[in-house]
Every structure is written in C-alpha cells, then in structure tokens.
Amino acid sequence: MSRLLPRANLEGVVAALRSAGYRVVGPVRRGSLVTYDEISSAADLALDVIITRDSIKKFVLPRTEVVARFNRDAAGKVSVLDATAAPQPTVILGCRPCDAAALPIDDLVFAWDSTDRFWFSRREAVRLVTIACANCDESCFCTSVGGAPDSPEGSDVLLTETAAGDYEVQALGERGAELLAKFPGLRDAPAADRRVAAVPQRFDLSAAVTALEKNFESPFWRQTALRCVGCGCCTFVCPTCHCFDLVDEGPAYHSERRRNWDACQMKNFTLHASGHNPRPWQEHRYRQRIMHKFLYYPSRLGRTLCTGCGRCVRACPVNLSLLQVVSDLAAGRANALPTSAGEVKK
Amino acid sequence: MTTLSESPVLQESPYVPRFGTIVESRMLTAQEKFFRIVMEDGRPLDYKPGQFVEVSIFGIGEAPISICSSPTQGGFFELTVRKAGMVTAKMHELNTGDTVGIRGPFGNGFDPAAIKGQNVLFVAGGLGLAPARGLIRWVFDRRADYKDVTLLVGARTPADLLFRDEIKEWQSRPDCQTLVTVDRADETWTGNKGVITRLFRKIKIDPANTFAVIVGPPIMFKFAVLEVLSEGVPENHVICSLERRMKCGLGKCGHCQIRNVYVCQEGPVFTYDFVKKLREGI
C-alpha cells in the first residue's frame, strides 16, 4: 500500500498550504520561459516541462539581498541598522530532484567554519515538495553525478507520478511529515506503476575526477574554452553555484550593503587592485568552474558540486556543454593532448 | 529599526563591521597613506601580524587591507593603503578622528613562534613591506627570540619607498642588516640600484638555520624564491603572503579560492612547498 494524492487534489493542496500561511511557488510559464514563481492555483503550474530555466537557488540565496543598512546623520555619525527580516515561509511545489539535491550540497560551504545565517534562515523557511521526473532530455545527467530522477535527496515531500496520472506521496523526515499532514485528500492505495524517466549514465564520474587531477595544465582547457564568452550564464542558472559579491549601494546617508550573485567566469572576479590577475584568461576561469565542481569542492567538503540538472548545458549561448566537456575528460580526451605542442603565444 | 548596539543578532552577523577610529594618519608616498586605528567599542582587535581586515567606507564598500603593525605594540593596529579603487580613494580622504568600519581580522597571519630561535631573512618589495612590517616589528620587539635578522627592501623608485624613517632606524640598528634598493634611481639616490634579487650578492645566508619571509608582487616573489632556494633554504622555510581579491573573509564567497584552499581562511601566509602545489597560487 502507498499514500496517493489524486491529481485533481493538487488544487486543494495549493489552497491548504496558502491558508496555512505559506507562499506557494512552482514552475510557471512567463512568456517563452518557464521559471519558479509564486502561484495562487494549481492551474498555474507548468508540470509538463522537464525543467525550469532558473533553479530554486534564488529562494535561499537571492540574486541580491540586504545584509546590513547604514544611516549617516547630519553630523556624519554612522549607525548600522539591522537588515534581517524573517524570511517568508515558502513551499516549492513541483521542485525537481536535481534542484532539491543542490541545497544539502551548498549547506556544506555555508556551514563550514562559520554558519551563514542568511542562507540557513531561508533554508529553514523553505519546504520542498518535489515531483520526480517522468521525462528527461539530452542535457539531463543526474545519474552520472550520483543523483536520480526520483531521488528524495534534499526534499521534504516527494511526489511520484503513477501511470494513472496521480501522485504517490512520500514524506521525508519530520519536516516532511509535518507538511504532508496539511495535504488534503490523501488516500491509501495499492502500489501502482510509477512513471520515472530513464536518465542514461553519460560519463564515469571517477574517471572524470582522475582526469582533472592529471590535467590542470592540459591544452584541453584552451581548446575547450576558446569559444567561452565569459557571460557567467552557466553559474547563474546553476543550482549549486554559490559565489557572491558584497557591495554597498545607495546614497551615503542611507545605504545598504548587499550580497549579490557573482561568477568565477568574470574577469573581475579575481582581479587584484594592483592589476594582477591570477586567472587572466578565460581558459583559466573555465577550468576553475569545472575543477571547483568536480575536484576542489569534493576534496574539501566531500560532495560533487553538481546535480546534473543540465541547465548550464541548455543555457550556454555558444553551446559549450559542461556535459560534453566532462564526458571528454572522463573518456581521456584531455590526456591524449600533447602538453607542449600547439602552444599559443599569449 | 534596531541599531548595532541594541541588536544581539546584528552584533553576531559576520557581515556587519565594527567601528574603528583613526587616531593617526599620514601620507607615506604619493600613493600610499598610513592609518593607525583604535576600535571604538574599546575591545582591541585581537590580531596576528600578516592578517588582514575588511575596511568599510559606509555606502562605498569594503576593501581587504593587510595589517602592517604588530600586536606587541599596543591596543591599536595600523594599515597602509594604496589608492587603487573606489574604497581606497575614499580612505585617502580620511584623517585623524574619522571613523571606518572594520571586519576581521581574517586569515592565518604569520606564526612568529614557528621561526623562533632562527635567523630571519625578510624580502619585501613595494607594498609587500606593509604586511612584512608587522612581523618585522614583532621580531624587533622580541629580538632575543631570534638570531640574525636581515631585511631586504625594494621599491620601484625612491619616491615609492614606504616607511623611509623607520627603514633608516632599522639601518642604524646594530642587531640587524638592512639593505634597500630601487629599480629606477634618480639623482638624489645614493643607495643600491636594481631589482631586489641583486641584494642577495651582498648578504650571507646560513640556509639550514634561516627562515625567509618573502612578500611582494608576484613577479618579485618568483625570482626571490629562486634566490633563497639556490642558497639552499628548504622550501618549507620559505614563507610568503599571497594577495587575493578577498570579499567575505569567511571562506564562502569564492573570490580568493586557489584550488581547494580559501586564502582568506587558510592563508594568506603559506610556506613555499605548499604554494608550489597550488600552482595557481602565484
């Protein structure tokens, strides 16, 4: 036996969660894009799409957020004001497993050494009701990085579509059970056939990691990154990319310190005041992103910084596919390149 | 809205600066200004030489600045600020009595205990003299803890030389050897000419008992390391301080990352045998 949520009851779930005080967000159509945004009815949900353009990251690490406010009085005396507003309790309905899995991975960097209370206060306020993927496309590669289209990792409630179009319901942990208790119209039903995508394994992760360890200075990076325009698109759509900048904005007498998304693909990311840049060329910055995700982060914090959502593959304006690059590495194509021949004078 | 002094949450926030009052300021060169700062809340900055702070100019932003003093000298700390960007340009407008925001100290800093009982060779180029000065002053304040002390100081031109009065004082000390050179001399300059590595010809190094502390621009570092290694100083006795574009200081924002190391946390001070393995380090 399993717990079943009839598809028709999704509307009741949205209404119940909203009346329980949650902001309910989910995948919605905005023009030609599908993005996560607030919904007022289950009819707003675009559940037929494989994946949204942007990830759920913005609900935990907003594009921009105020971390402090400064007031300067007429005498020039500065006071620092509290910028912490309690985050809005939010349910993400129709989250994807590859998005949900990203949050526990990023928890590691926001918790090591010191705890980032901006990240964790939002994390605490956000509940994830994930719908397992019934379909995938050629950019999906969750199964290559330890995930699965029906993985419960990071979710509070997991819904899996049945052959009849209803949802099998699974509560995960205390938070999940508490949330599921608010769902109306659940019933017990015999286990039915589940619709779960068959995501093929695209590369051997450990072979890719070994190749990265060996190929820091391979000409592979120059050849690969030649067409990278350094727009940073891949980092902004990525559910695990978490680098940020701190900037002051507003007039001097009433200003804000903001934390904004930043990207290692930008030249200024590492540029020193002296003009020296430890990553002067795009090949260095491209290498950094791949190395960080598949070698540095796992070696430091124990998890691969990628969930295989494939967004960076879909979003890249020059078709520079991370999936292809990591597959090439795993297949030993970087090793095969001579290390000195073909050097380009910079 | 509550203010810093009223809100315990705010006091704990790692992104909220404390206030520091400038108690002394003066121009060292046309581009570099010196500040002595005391924390306004009376709680002194608990720092080690070689650590850095994030200095806030409220409404303009933050900049990572090396501490150039030693905690052996009192309840203040000192900064040498080169005018290079928006924040540092604004800092140059500040004078004694003005307030800045301070977060930190961040990073590991130098470990003066680790080089105790040894000869210390300082190689400081340009603005690198600022972070090095913290340890230099520590060593002079605890002079009996160290054996021979040699200071090699380099600047591009005589006008770029920092802490000229102090250097004169160091040169007059009988318990250390201080050599200064400039890359490009002018008619007023009577001292050594040429890049800092040329000073190695004039000194004697006892490689087995010497720690070399090298701080300066990347190009100087590369060649200075070659000099001390060729003298036979072991790689783990070569200490350097790396520059990175630090932002958060907490090992989160990603800017200072070199491979799997956060320079703002595990650095900026490393031994050469470690830096060498980072490859992207210098």
Side-chain angles (χ1 to χ4, degrees), chain A residues 2 19 23 26 33 73 85 104 200 314 338:
Chain A
S2 61
S19 66
R23 167 178 64 153
L33 296 178
D73 67 17
R314 298 179 194 94

Side-chain angles (χ1 to χ4, degrees), chain B residues 26-177:
Chain B
R26 64 173 190 274
M27 294 303 288
L28 293 178
T29 70
Q31 288 302 312
E32 278 99 9
K33 193 164 182 174
F34 169 89
F35 299 95
R36 178 177 287 182
I37 297 171
V38 172
M39 297 312 288
E40 225 168 65
D41 55 17
R43 194 159 48 89
L45 200 73
D46 183 15
Y47 72 95
K48 292 205 283 186
Q51 286 192 298
F52 70 98
V53 289
E54 287 282 352
V55 182
S56 280
I57 302 295
F58 300 102
I60 305 291
E62 275 188 329
I65 308 285
S66 295
I67 298 172
C68 68
S69 55
S70 164
T72 50
Q73 296 178 312
F76 57 82
F77 64 97
E78 293 166 343
L79 307 174
T80 301
V81 180
R82 176 177 290 173
K83 193 174 179 176
M86 286 194 304
V87 174
T88 50
K90 208 75 188 167
M91 278 190 82
H92 271 231
E93 294 173 17
L94 301 182
N95 290 304
T96 305
D98 288 332
T99 300
V100 291
I102 299 289
R103 288 197 303 126
F106 297 119
N108 57 354
F110 294 111
D111 184 359
I115 57 175
K116 240 179 171 176
Q118 300 279 317
N119 302 327
V120 191
L121 165 67
F122 289 94
V123 186
L127 199 45
L129 182 58
R133 177 179 176 262
L135 186 59
I136 292 170
R137 301 204 69 143
W138 177 294
V139 167
F140 283 151
D141 287 343
R142 304 269 190 279
R143 186 63 189 86
D145 288 350
Y146 304 91
K147 296 207 303 215
D148 294 349
V149 175
T150 309
L151 308 178
L152 305 184
V153 177
R156 276 171 302 176
T157 71
D160 292 319
L161 194 58
L162 300 170
F163 300 109
R164 266 165 275 185
D165 296 341
E166 248 165 87
I167 290 171
K168 267 187 207 133
E169 191 191 311
W170 298 341
Q171 283 173 322
S172 67
R173 285 180 75 116
D175 60 355
C176 84
Q177 187 186 5

Side-chain angles (χ1 to χ4, degrees), chain A residues 110-125:
Chain A
F110 286 110
W112 92 272
D113 191 56
S114 64
T115 303
D116 189 286
R117 69 201 177 94
F118 293 95
W119 169 272
F120 282 104
S121 68
R122 285 203 169 77
R123 192 80 171 80
E124 200 48 50

Side-chain angles (χ1 to χ4, degrees), chain A:
Chain A
M1 293 294 273
S2 61
R3 297 285 281 164
L4 204 70
L5 171 70
R7 181 175 278 252
N9 277 10
L10 217 46
E11 190 61 62
V13 170
V14 174
L17 292 172
R18 281 168 63 86
S19 66
Y22 287 106
R23 167 178 64 153
V24 181
V25 303
V28 295
R29 288 205 157 73
R30 291 279 180 269
S32 62
L33 296 178
V34 180
T35 178
Y36 286 108
D37 206 349
E38 183 161 7
I39 58 163
S40 53
S41 154
D44 299 337
L45 290 170
L47 294 178
D48 55 327
V49 298
I50 287 169
I51 202 158
T52 53
R53 174 64 67 100
D54 57 353
S55 82
I56 63 165
K57 169 170 78 178
K58 60 185 177 184
F59 297 109
V60 191
L61 183 70
R63 284 190 184 92
T64 178
E65 73 182 308
V66 179
V67 294
R69 285 181 218 279
F70 309 124
N71 258 355
R72 192 185 294 268
D73 67 17
K77 175 109 183 106
V78 175
S79 47
V80 182
L81 305 174
D82 202 343
T84 44
Q88 201 178 356
T90 299
V91 172
I92 301 175
L93 179 60
C95 175
R96 286 300 183 201
C98 49
D99 267 349
L103 300 186
I105 295 173
D106 275 7
D107 283 348
L108 300 171
V109 68
F110 286 110
W112 92 272
D113 191 56
S114 64
T115 303
D116 189 286
R117 69 201 177 94
F118 293 95
W119 169 272
F120 282 104
S121 68
R122 285 203 169 77
R123 192 80 171 80
E124 200 48 50
V126 172
R127 299 284 179 277
L128 304 182
V129 179
T130 301
I131 301 182
C133 299
N135 299 296
C136 65
D137 69 13
E138 71 284 354
S139 302
C140 292
F141 63 101
C142 58
T143 49
S144 308
V145 288
D150 59 347
S151 163
E153 175 79 19
S155 298
D156 297 301
V157 173
L158 181 65
L159 309 181
T160 312
E161 210 178 315
T162 64
D166 298 324
Y167 295 105
E168 200 184 287
V169 176
Q170 191 188 348
L172 301 146
E174 256 173 55
R175 277 168 44 141
E178 213 172 282
L179 189 67
L180 197 60
K182 297 185 171 68
F183 281 34
L186 296 181
R187 58 180 169 81
D188 290 328
D193 280 346
R194 306 153 96 219
R195 293 188 57 216
V196 177
V199 182
Q201 189 177 331
R202 318 264 188 192
F203 56 81
D204 176 358
L205 182 61
S206 64
V209 172
T210 308
L212 287 173
E213 281 166 351
K214 284 196 291 201
N215 287 292
F216 186 79
E217 264 129 21
S218 169
F220 175 79
W221 299 111
R222 186 173 306 151
Q223 292 181 10
T224 303
L226 266 177
R227 61 183 153 151
C228 178
V229 293
C231 67
C233 221
C234 47
T235 68
F236 299 134
V237 297
C238 177
T240 59
C241 274
H242 54 264
C243 288
F244 59 83
D245 199 5
L246 290 166
V247 293
D248 284 12
E249 291 177 3
Y253 53 86
H254 186 78
S255 54
E256 295 171 337
R257 176 155 299 164
R258 285 179 170 271
R259 169 155 102 168
N260 298 335
W261 285 358
D262 205 347
C264 58
Q265 299 305 295
M266 314 280 192
K267 190 179 177 184
N268 281 4
F269 190 77
T270 48
L271 183 67
H272 297 176
S274 65
H276 175 76
N277 196 335
R279 288 187 211 124
W281 300 97
Q282 200 56 37
E283 67 199 62
H284 305 138
R285 306 191 269 273
Y286 190 79
R287 175 179 65 191
Q288 166 65 19
R289 183 160 191 268
I290 305 294
M291 289 269 182
H292 188 204
K293 291 197 168 300
F294 295 95
L295 185 62
Y296 307 158
Y297 199 87
S299 76
R300 187 181 176 105
L301 295 164
R303 298 284 307 271
T304 298
L305 192 65
C306 174
T307 63
C309 72
R311 282 194 181 88
C312 59
V313 181
R314 298 179 194 94
C316 182
V318 294
N319 263 330
L320 178 50
S321 160
L322 176 138
L323 175 54
Q324 186 61 52
V325 168
V326 180
S327 301
D328 283 351
L329 284 159
R333 278 174 213 132
N335 314 348
L337 288 168
T339 46
S340 56
E343 282 283 316
V344 180
K345 183 90 181 148
K346 277 184 275 191

